[in-house]
Amino acid sequence: MDAVDYQQLLSDAMAAARRTVGTGRVADYIPALAAADPDAFGMALATVEGEVFGVGAWEQPFSIQSISKLFTLALVLAEGGDAVWQRVGREPSGNPFNSLVQLETEQGIPRNPFINAGAIVVTDHLHSLTGGAAHAVREFLRAESGNPMLGTDWEVAASETEHGHRNAALAHFIASHGNLLNPVETVLDEYYAHCAIAASCADLALAGRFLARYGLRADDTRLLSRSDAKRVNAVLLTCGTYDAAGEFAFRVGLPGKSGVGGGVLAILPGRAALCAWGPGLDRAGNSVGAVAALDAFTTASGLSVF
Ligand code: GLN
């Protein structure tokens, strides 16, 4: 049905990403991530019909990190957790993902669900709704990707816990404003456990497909209403790549979510979900290679939301 040659577009996008090799820095503030190969690259695309295309290391698992925040938000909304919007905003922060400054002036209500502060609140909300936030994310990813092996890399989670002073500060500050339902330690454990999930580009493209299908899961049951799917995509576009969301929208023109493991999951509503991965990051914490590849893909194909 689709005349687009996705395989060729992915090959060309990988060639564009290859030109960025050597630029960007691997996240080393989480020591367990510092060993990632800065030259690695992979990209996968899953169509709404369920076809999967890939290039490079598209089946190699990596640490999904903040890409998990897309799934925590979607699962909260799927569980009827609309009240989460009283606890977290939906404006771009214009600040780094781990910034503390706005929380003080904004009384412990994080700007959006995708900066760390916001994701901590969303994780807390999901934990109260389900009794196991990270478990819910893992189960969802397994079901959508069809990969039962997908799971948390506990070495990465432990590394984050050990070095997570900033996240602990954010969580305590939020708690001081009465905006956490569960104990700080519980929320941080859950947060790290979903950030430290290891998944491949193919897994994530398949798992993101529900947003390209206006809320429908792989088994055709509805996860989100069409309106909530629209809303999640909108917040991804405006906030999914932190203080570089404007640049990402300018270059790529798709809703997308990045993580410091080097992955970026982007949504082409009505058509496909794409995931690109390369561990070298720019100053905002977004993968240089993955953004370059997505930029090349949408620029060459004209496939974007604009
Ligand atoms: N787990 C990471 C952290 O809390 C997630 C950051 C990211 O991927 N941007 O710092």
Side-chain angles (χ1 to χ4, degrees), residues 27 29-30 33 63-69 97-98 114-117 119-120 156 160 164 166-167 170 188 191-192 194-196 240 242 257-263 281 284-286:
Y29 77 101
I30 302 170
L33 296 182
S63 194
I64 73 170
Q65 292 297 316
S66 286
I67 297 174
S68 60
K69 298 172 183 175
F97 63 81
N98 56 3
F114 297 142
I115 51 174
N116 286 11
I120 286 167
V156 174
E160 284 215 63
R166 257 176 190 270
N167 287 326
L170 288 169
L188 289 175
Y191 171 78
Y192 292 136
H194 67 64
C195 286
Y242 318 114
K257 186 74 211 80
S258 60
V260 293
L281 308 179
N286 299 315

Side-chain angles (χ1 to χ4, degrees), residues 23-70:
T23 56
R25 284 193 56 207
V26 170
D28 53 9
Y29 77 101
I30 302 170
L33 296 182
D37 173 9
D39 297 344
F41 180 81
M43 189 170 185
L45 178 148
T47 66
V48 290
E49 292 87 9
E51 259 190 301
V52 183
F53 302 86
V55 289
W58 63 290
E59 291 170 301
Q60 184 178 321
F62 58 87
S63 194
I64 73 170
Q65 292 297 316
S66 286
I67 297 174
S68 60
K69 298 172 183 175
L70 177 172

Side-chain angles (χ1 to χ4, degrees), residues 123 126-127 132-139 152 189-191 193-194 197:
T123 298
L126 183 61
H127 196 65
H135 177 79
V137 176
R138 275 192 302 268
E139 287 306 308
T152 295
D189 283 350
E190 294 293 321
Y191 171 78
H194 67 64
I197 290 172

Side-chain angles (χ1 to χ4, degrees), residues 165-218:
H165 300 300
R166 257 176 190 270
N167 287 326
L170 288 169
H172 280 288
F173 196 79
I174 294 165
S176 80
H177 278 281
N179 196 14
L180 277 195
L181 306 169
N182 297 283
V184 164
E185 287 68 28
T186 306
V187 178
L188 289 175
D189 283 350
E190 294 293 321
Y191 171 78
Y192 292 136
H194 67 64
C195 286
I197 290 172
S200 68
C201 291
D203 294 331
L204 287 169
L206 284 166
R209 225 160 52 100
F210 73 96
L211 283 176
R213 301 181 75 217
Y214 307 110
L216 284 187
R217 295 186 63 158

